[in-house]
Every structure is written in C-alpha cells, then in structure tokens.
Amino acid sequence: MSQSFKIPFARVDCSGKEAQYLAEVLSSGWLTTASKAKKFENRFIELIGCKHALAVNSCTSGLHLALDALDVKRGDKVFVPSFTFTASAEVIRYMGADPVVLDVDYATSSLSAQIVADAIARHPDVKVLVGVHFGGMALPMTGDFGILQICKKAGVKVVEDAAHALPSRLDGRAVGSFGDVTCFSFYANKTMTTGEGGMITTDDDGIAERIRCMRLHGIDRDIWDRFTNNTSTPSWEYDVVAPGFKYNMPDLNAAVGLAQLERIFEMHEKRVACASLYFELLGNIEDVELPFQPPNMTDHAWHLFPIRLRPSTNLTRNGMIENLNEVGIGTSVHYKPIHRLKYYRERYDLIPTDFPVSESIWQRTLSLPIYNLLTEKEQIFICQSIKLAIEEKKVP
Ligand SMILES: *Cc1c(COP(=O)(O)O)cnc(C)c1O
C-alpha cells in the first residue's frame, strides 16, 4: 500500500552492514538467539548507559515482560495514556489487570507530571504507570516534580513505552536509563528496525533476571549459555521455574539491529534536520499547529511529526489526508485514542467527554512523513501541498 505513494509515510534504510551481518548469521548455521543478539544487547547498553538490555521479539512482548517482572496481578490497576497505540494498554489486560486511561496534556499529546499527580490522588490503588514518550519527546520524568519522583513517593512503579524514543534524551541522559524498566520497538517503521523486535532496559538486577527467564519459557538457563558454557552441567539439563513466554530475539533480527544501531545517530541527525525544515516551512501557515518543540531539538527522537489543523480550518483532517494521498503523499494518524477503541470503550464504559484533550487533538491530527531518506525537495512538496489543500478549500 505505502509503496504506491511517491512519498511513503515511512521508508526503511538498510544500506549499512545489514546484508553483511545477515550473511554471517546464515553461514553460521545458528539462526536463532546467539552471539549477534548478545552483541546487540551489549551495544545497546553502551548507547543508553543502562545496566541491563534484553533483546525480545517486539516492544509489545517487552511491555508484557515488564509488567510481569513488576508483579502486576489480576485485578490490579495500571495507568496508561489515552493517546497511544493499543499495545500500551493490551499488555495490562494480558496480566488480567485493568487499565486506568488518562487524558493527556494539550501541548505535548502526552502525560504531564500534573496529570500523573492528579491521577494518583484520584486512584490511590493504582500500582503501575505505563508512560509513553509520544512521538519521541521524552516525558517530564526527572527532577523533584518529575513523573519518577511523583510515582516513587506514591509507590507507583513506572514502565516506559519508548517505542518512539530512540534516541531521546532528557537532562543529558538517554531515555531508557531512568525508569524502572523501559521498552523500545524495532518494528519496521520505527526510528531503527530489526523487522520485528524490541529491547528492554533496566538498572534493576531482579527485574533483569526475571525478564531473562520469562522471555524464554521460564527456563532458568539461557539457551546460549547452555550450549557455550564449559561447566559440568550438561547442555540438555535445565529447569523451568514459571510458565514463561517465547519472546526471544533471533540472531537474524539482531544482525539487522546491529547494523541499524551503528547508524542510529546518523539517521537521527537527518530526522532532526527534517523536523527543523518542517518547522521552517510550515511555521507561517496559520491553520497548521506544529508539534511541541523541546528547547534542544536533538533531545527529541522525531519518530513522528504530527501536525494539527486548527478548528477554524475549512478542511477536515480526513480531507487533508485525501488531498495529500491524491498527490502521492502517505500520512498516518497517531492515534485513534484508547477510549475510542471498541474493546476498551465497551469494557470500561469510556466516554469521549471524559477525555476532552485527546478528543480535541485526535480529530485534527495527522502525521507527516519523517525519516532519514526524506529529501528536502520532498519536504518542500509536502508543505506546498498542505498549503494548497488549505487554500483551495478556504471559503473566500
Ligand atoms: C509500535 C508501538 C508499540 C509496539 O511495538 P512492537 O514492536 O510492534 O510490538 C508499542 N507502543 C507504541 C507507542 C508504539 O508506537
């Protein structure tokens, strides 16, 4: 589908050492989790500055493992923002727990420290928060009035959904280095990819140990360890301590990840440049509201560039998407909020008027193409097309 657009919403760049590393895996004869996954984890630890990194087969698996490691139980309540992908909420249901869906802050489309503080006051029984670094802009996590401190005081654990946030920074630190546990996504359209894949980071030894075990059937020994260590324990010998999952990352995927990771800053630099050019080219279009701009542009991963059409615009969001599609520009919408999705809406009686901010944003938002292979010429064309669409529909 996206291939039919002249300017697709996302493009994957595998022009680094992806093919070389893949060939190494293929010729090694061991395609599943082994040395490439291990190396990928070690490189990730260096990049983030965290103690542990655990490669998994998706961010969703990572979030599931994170909630399991935090001992979320049936009937527990977990905070999640309305403005996110369904994965952030579905993992709460995997545990038999119930999401407490929170409206977001207008400026950033995500949770603010105030929203979290108010939510804790209203729901003192909630045990865990799934925070989402929407679009790649880090949540206000740090400092005395940051989300981490507020949650810590209330005994609320924090899982970070950092599917958009590689590489994002806050106060000079990388996202993935400050919460209890953080999950990244390497899905095909994210800031780097392994096809499908994810990474969990944590500084907590206990959490890391539980996740290491649960990502592979609850087996108490790493498969790779089983075949490489020189101890007297035979390789067939293992025990199972819990009904774990099958969430490990194969070396085939890790090979692609290693090559992508080598170029993460180069690709990020291009995304920052794309975002800056959008701010410049769209800044003078009255009907377009631009995304939140952090003081330091490079702190933002710029996974997404979501714009909003002002309510006065004589063109609906869907009208704009159609106009852009007609001239070959792919777009997307982030997000149809959780409270609008049938399952959550019906099960938890969620009504739109309880989420006025998400409601106001989602009806008017669309995400523009942003990736390292996007050219300046393409961006100029996208911005001109937006301008034309607005002007043509404008009542004189
Ligand atoms: C993409 C995404 C996920 C899921 O990532 P997968 O790797 O596809 O499981 C979770 N949360 C958010 C916010 C996402 O955008």
Side-chain angles (χ1 to χ4, degrees):
M1 174 69 191
S2 69
Q3 296 306 322
S4 63
F5 289 114
K6 273 186 297 186
I7 308 176
F9 175 66
R11 261 189 206 128
V12 175
D13 177 2
C14 285
S15 61
K17 292 189 174 161
E18 287 82 357
Q20 182 191 321
Y21 294 163
L22 267 172
E24 287 171 16
V25 172
L26 291 172
S27 62
S28 80
W30 189 297
L31 308 191
T32 189
T33 309
S35 62
K36 284 277 192 280
K38 188 90 217 150
K39 196 165 168 186
F40 186 32
E41 292 177 340
N42 289 337
R43 290 280 156 80
F44 213 82
I45 287 171
E46 286 164 25
L47 181 85
I48 300 296
C50 54
K51 196 163 173 198
H52 304 278
L54 298 122
V56 285
N57 62 359
S58 75
C59 178
T60 308
S61 312
L63 292 166
H64 186 191
L65 290 167
L67 293 183
D68 167 80
L70 294 181
D71 206 20
V72 171
K73 291 197 167 60
R74 184 165 300 276
D76 282 355
K77 289 182 179 165
V78 178
F79 290 127
V80 67
S82 54
F83 224 66
T84 186
F85 185 53
T86 183
S88 318
E90 78 196 36
V91 292
I92 299 167
R93 293 296 301 136
Y94 289 2
M95 306 305 298
D98 296 304
V100 175
V101 184
L102 303 177
D103 201 9
V104 294
D105 173 58
Y106 185 81
T108 58
S109 303
S110 48
L111 298 177
S112 65
Q114 191 60 51
I115 290 171
V116 173
D118 292 347
I120 289 173
R122 270 185 293 123
H123 304 274
D125 51 340
V126 172
K127 306 254 170 65
V128 175
L129 162 77
V130 176
V132 181
H133 301 288
F134 179 79
M137 164 86 190
L139 286 166
M141 301 295 281
T142 51
D144 287 348
F145 304 103
I147 289 175
L148 285 177
Q149 194 56 33
I150 290 167
C151 287
K152 195 175 169 190
K153 271 194 213 149
V156 174
K157 297 276 187 197
V158 181
V159 171
E160 290 167 64
D161 179 341
H164 303 174
L166 186 73
S168 300
R169 298 182 74 80
L170 182 66
D171 286 347
R173 283 161 68 190
V175 163
S177 70
F178 30 75
D180 293 304
V181 46
T182 305
C183 303
F184 295 89
S185 173
F186 309 129
Y187 180 68
N189 68 10
K190 298 288 158 70
T191 57
M192 66 159 268
T193 187
T194 59
E196 299 279 0
M199 189 73 82
I200 307 165
T201 63
T202 183
D203 282 347
D204 186 300
D205 297 342
I207 289 174
E209 195 187 331
R210 173 73 181 179
I211 290 172
R212 203 181 301 283
C213 169
M214 291 304 280
R215 75 174 163 181
L216 199 70
H217 304 297
I219 289 173
D220 68 350
R221 281 175 77 189
D222 220 286
I223 283 281
W224 180 238
D225 284 348
R226 280 172 54 203
F227 288 92
T228 54
N229 75 7
N230 307 315
T231 64
S232 54
T233 320
S235 66
W236 54 263
E237 174 72 47
Y238 63 86
D239 208 352
V240 168
V241 295
F245 308 103
K246 188 62 179 26
Y247 285 168
N248 57 303
M249 176 185 280
D251 263 22
L252 281 172
N253 302 78
V256 176
L258 270 171
Q260 291 269 300
L261 201 60
E262 286 173 0
R263 298 179 57 221
I264 188 75
F265 291 120
E266 174 201 326
M267 293 194 290
H268 177 237
E269 210 172 290
K270 271 304 309 273
R271 280 178 182 270
V272 173
C274 288
S276 301
L277 188 57
Y278 273 139
F279 277 109
E280 194 185 315
L281 296 174
L282 297 173
N284 59 0
I285 305 181
E286 209 184 297
D287 284 324
V288 172
E289 249 177 76
L290 294 168
F292 187 85
Q293 209 175 351
N296 187 349
M297 282 289 283
T298 58
D299 279 353
H300 195 308
W302 296 108
H303 166 56
L304 298 179
F305 198 90
I307 62 168
R308 302 170 189 166
L309 299 179
R310 290 195 198 282
S312 56
T313 313
N314 260 319
L315 178 71
T316 63
R317 184 269 314 277
N318 291 358
M320 176 62 82
I321 289 176
E322 277 163 32
N323 266 268
L324 296 179
N325 284 1
E326 271 164 31
V327 295
I329 299 165
T331 57
S332 191
V333 172
H334 298 89
Y335 285 96
K336 183 176 179 182
I338 298 292
H339 69 262
R340 282 245 169 202
L341 306 176
K342 184 178 193 299
Y343 175 78
Y344 299 100
R345 191 182 69 223
E346 290 182 356
R347 185 176 175 100
Y348 297 102
D349 290 325
L350 303 177
I351 50 171
T353 46
D354 285 340
F355 303 90
V357 179
S358 299
E359 276 297 305
S360 139
I361 300 170
W362 100 270
Q363 316 253 16
R364 302 186 286 115
T365 192
L366 70 151
S367 300
L368 303 180
I370 183 163
Y371 39 83
N372 69 309
L373 294 176
L374 189 66
T375 67
E376 202 172 305
K377 224 173 116 189
E378 287 174 326
Q379 281 193 276
I380 291 168
F381 176 69
I382 292 166
C383 296
Q384 277 172 346
S385 303
I386 291 170
K387 215 172 200 162
L388 276 177
I390 290 171
E391 282 166 7
E392 277 174 18
K393 298 284 172 167
K394 204 141 209 170
V395 179

